[in-house]
Amino acid sequence: MSALLVTAAARSRETWLGPVTTETYRAFLASRAAGPSGPSFLQCPSWAEVKEGWRSRLIGWGPAPEGSGPPGAEGLTGVALVLLRPFPGTRKYFAYLPEGPYADWADPDIDGWLTPLLKHLREAGVFAVRIGPAPAYRRWNAPRLKQLTGRGRRVDDVLACEVDPLGTAVSERLRSRGWRRCGGDGPAGDGDAQPRLVFQVPLAGRTTDDLWNGLNQEWRRNVRRAEKSGVEVSVGGAADLPEFYRLLRITEQRDGFRLGRSLAYYERQFEVLNAEEPGRMKLYLARHDGETLAAHTMLTVGRRVWYQTGASADHRREVRPSNALQWRMLRDAHARGADVYDMRGVPSTLDPDDRGHGLLRWKLGTGGQVVETLGEWETPMAGTTNHTLYRAFQAYLARR
């Protein structure tokens, strides 16, 4: 995969785009890691080592340097971790950029880097590409959604507290260029690999007392109950992952979902993410009378923190171990200077009779916001063969 030099109509200088080293890529992400709009953990180089069955490429772009060779991290304006899935029986690939590329989506001339990126991937044998633009689309505050909970209602039935103009503009720009929003335009995003609706608790400019007061009455009562019951929260290590996985299987059976991941997946994730940066992935444990009742994983990149996966036992739920865990994780994220605590995906239902509503109700109790991201977008590459492979790939996904 060679570098490209492209002169955009709105630019007086050529754009360089091509492979970059892991060191350059990481240095660029580190320079952009401050603030709530920093890079996602899914765009870190280590994530490629987590995903089995995919090849990967690290690509960067920016103004073409004066001399020969690629620019350093300080000369880049965007990067992408590209995961490549081979199409059986061909030399073609489906390219996936989870929650990426990490780019300046506010740039009105996105063609200045998006067009060269697609050309670069097409020359590498990619028949279609899926991206996950970073800008948010709509936001709903917890009190409004809680107030308007009702039978048959969904999140998009409620007027948003905020509509992000950048998200709207990016959506229009992609659509005008032939991109298709996976799973349609609703907030559920059933065709997305990553959750379209996420729950975020803002941390910047808030004190610990502010966070406590942001919890609803039920949450504060449950945290106090856990403390009085003697629930102890600690940070575990790799040796505790089998116990986490045991609880995860119990949680999946109880709540009626299946992530389809093995213990080896979480062990690999823990190893490679922490090898990239110590403490990037942490495992929190809640114990009561010496027994582990709940375990949650937390990821950190710069000043963004994610609650990734939670697991809990079926018994002794009255001592509220999960509330104790989240309160500790929330405070730890705040103490390390995070701007946002992202609790990841939530269902779109506001109907208390729907099975998925319990998860949304639980997260609403932290007083944060439901955020609809732009979701994931796809486009086939030019050419009859690429379009044919793309249709076959879509049919395969529909049968899964």
Side-chain angles (χ1 to χ4, degrees), residues 44-375:
C44 289
S46 56
W47 195 251
E49 300 178 59
V50 175
K51 305 300 291 180
E52 286 189 321
W54 296 78
R55 301 180 185 181
S56 65
R57 297 287 186 275
L58 297 177
I59 298 173
W61 56 88
E66 298 294 341
S68 59
E74 69 283 351
L76 297 177
T77 57
V79 295
L81 167 64
V82 182
L83 301 178
L84 299 169
R85 171 78 76 175
F87 193 93
T90 74
R91 295 183 179 180
K92 292 284 192 174
Y93 301 92
F94 175 76
Y96 178 40
L97 286 63
E99 295 188 6
Y102 186 68
D104 181 11
W105 290 100
D107 185 351
D109 181 29
I110 63 172
D111 291 322
W113 57 266
L114 187 55
T115 298
L117 176 60
L118 293 179
K119 184 175 187 295
H120 190 76
L121 295 175
R122 185 170 64 249
E123 291 177 351
V126 169
F127 68 87
V129 60
R130 175 183 288 204
I131 62 176
Y137 182 42
R138 294 184 289 182
R139 298 175 186 270
W140 294 264
N141 293 334
R144 175 173 293 185
L145 291 179
K146 187 175 180 180
Q147 181 183 12
L148 295 177
T149 295
R151 179 167 296 179
R153 287 183 176 172
R154 303 180 68 82
V155 169
D156 55 336
D157 293 329
V158 179
L159 184 66
C161 298
E162 178 185 342
V163 178
D164 192 316
L166 176 58
T168 303
V170 171
S171 176
E172 293 173 351
R173 290 169 187 167
L174 290 175
R175 208 181 302 276
S176 69
R177 288 158 176 80
W179 290 80
R180 180 186 67 86
R181 198 180 191 197
C182 304
D185 288 329
D190 294 333
D192 295 350
Q194 304 303 324
R196 184 178 297 183
L197 279 184
V198 298
F199 195 86
Q200 297 179 350
V201 182
L203 303 180
R206 302 177 71 188
T207 66
T208 304
D209 287 341
D210 292 333
L211 297 179
W212 176 255
N213 292 329
L215 303 179
N216 67 15
Q217 187 176 16
E218 182 182 6
W219 258 81
R220 293 196 297 269
R221 183 171 59 248
N222 287 340
V223 171
R224 291 192 185 104
R225 181 178 300 168
E227 293 173 348
K228 291 179 180 179
S229 300
V231 173
E232 298 178 349
V233 176
S234 62
V235 178
D240 298 299
L241 286 171
E243 183 67 2
F244 158 76
Y245 189 71
R246 182 186 69 83
L247 292 172
L248 180 60
R249 295 301 301 271
I250 292 172
T251 304
E252 290 177 335
Q253 185 174 6
R254 180 181 67 238
D255 294 343
F257 70 92
R258 183 79 172 92
L259 293 176
R261 295 168 182 158
S262 64
L263 171 60
Y265 173 89
Y266 291 102
E267 291 175 332
R268 184 170 63 252
Q269 185 184 105
F270 195 87
E271 179 183 359
V272 301
L273 266 62
N274 288 322
E276 182 174 64
E277 181 176 311
R280 171 146 291 166
M281 180 176 180
K282 290 184 177 181
L283 174 63
Y284 284 77
L285 307 168
R287 294 187 174 95
H288 184 255
D289 288 343
E291 181 184 4
T292 302
L293 295 181
H296 296 176
T297 59
M298 187 172 89
L299 303 178
T300 301
V301 178
R303 289 165 65 177
R304 294 183 66 186
V305 172
W306 294 263
Y307 156 48
Q308 187 194 26
T309 307
S312 61
D314 283 340
H315 61 289
R316 295 197 212 172
R317 297 170 65 83
E318 71 279 359
V319 301
R320 303 299 179 183
S322 293
N323 293 91
L325 276 180
Q326 285 301 310
W327 176 235
R328 166 70 182 275
M329 292 165 69
L330 193 60
R331 287 183 292 130
D332 283 1
H334 179 265
R336 66 178 299 150
D339 288 303
V340 64
Y341 182 68
D342 192 321
M343 301 182 77
R344 294 297 280 168
V346 291
S348 60
T349 179
L350 293 177
D351 189 336
D353 294 331
D354 285 350
R355 187 170 190 173
H357 182 261
L359 177 62
L360 174 61
R361 181 179 178 275
W362 187 72
K363 294 184 180 182
L364 286 174
T366 63
Q369 297 178 320
V370 171
V371 180
E372 181 185 359
T373 69
L374 284 184

